[in-house]
Amino acid sequence: GDPYPAEVGSTVQLVMQELGWSNPYRVTWQSKVGPLPWLEPGTEQTIKALVQRGQKNLMLVPIAFVNDHIETLHELDIEYAEELGKEVGAERIGRCAAPNDDPTFISCLADIVATHLKNGEKVKPQMLMQCPMCTEQTCKNTKMWFAKATGALNPIQN
């Protein structure tokens, strides 16, 4: 299936390990769009449940986002932190800043790119894989475009 939940979970695990497991946390999911089921637990439902249990000061950490955009600036900051927080009686809901153009983050990205170029790795094989049940032609076309653009001769198809 989609590697996104595992990738996010792994990232959270590594960050919490680096922080010495210093704070309680929950991985939640937001931005459900369309009629299909989305990942759970949802951020909105989790905020409601935590505040109801007496945890009225929360920090949202959009760990999968590298820059501020509509999901951080509007959905997290306004819909959840302001509006939902007020509705459920939270004292404070904050949000951790996204890396954006922080010099350390940019340096890390540059290092990753330089390492890939030095090793001749233009694309990870995972990037070229479709989810096993995917029937979206747009997804397949995108994977094929990356395969051609990077010179990968045998894109992995399921």
Side-chain angles (χ1 to χ4, degrees):
D2 187 347
Y4 181 67
E7 291 169 349
V8 171
S10 295
T11 301
V12 170
Q13 177 85 9
L14 291 169
V15 168
M16 292 311 297
Q17 182 178 329
E18 184 69 22
L19 295 174
W21 308 97
S22 57
N23 293 291
Y25 70 95
R26 293 288 177 268
V27 176
T28 65
W29 308 94
Q30 68 186 75
S31 304
K32 179 190 179 314
V33 178
L36 297 176
W38 183 231
L39 302 168
E40 293 189 359
T43 301
E44 181 175 347
Q45 294 78 13
T46 302
I47 290 171
K48 288 177 180 179
L50 290 172
V51 172
Q52 187 177 26
R53 291 181 190 162
Q55 296 176 354
K56 297 187 177 205
N57 292 285
L58 305 172
M59 175 64 73
L60 305 176
V61 182
I63 202 156
F65 301 143
V66 298
N67 64 313
D68 289 320
H69 57 296
I70 193 70
E71 289 178 273
T72 55
L73 299 173
H74 190 270
E75 190 171 10
L76 293 179
D77 292 354
I78 296 172
E79 291 179 28
Y80 293 162
E82 289 180 24
E83 296 170 357
L84 181 62
K86 184 177 180 180
E87 175 188 321
V88 298
E91 292 174 13
R92 183 170 192 280
I93 299 176
R95 176 182 58 85
C96 182
N100 293 309
D101 61 352
D102 180 274
T104 301
F105 179 63
I106 299 302
S107 177
C108 289
L109 290 178
D111 183 59
I112 290 168
V113 170
T115 300
H116 282 260
L117 291 173
K118 180 180 165 189
N119 295 336
E121 183 178 36
K122 296 180 181 177
V123 65
K124 292 278 188 191
Q126 183 74 25
M127 178 67 181
L128 303 177
M129 293 178 69
Q130 282 184 267
C131 298
M133 305 305 285
C134 182
T135 59
E136 292 294 322
Q137 188 62 40
T138 303
C139 180
K140 183 177 181 179
N141 292 346
T142 302
K143 303 292 183 178
M144 292 302 296
W145 182 89
F146 275 109
K148 289 176 185 174
T150 61
L153 301 176
N154 298 312
I156 301 166
Q157 297 182 24
N158 296 354

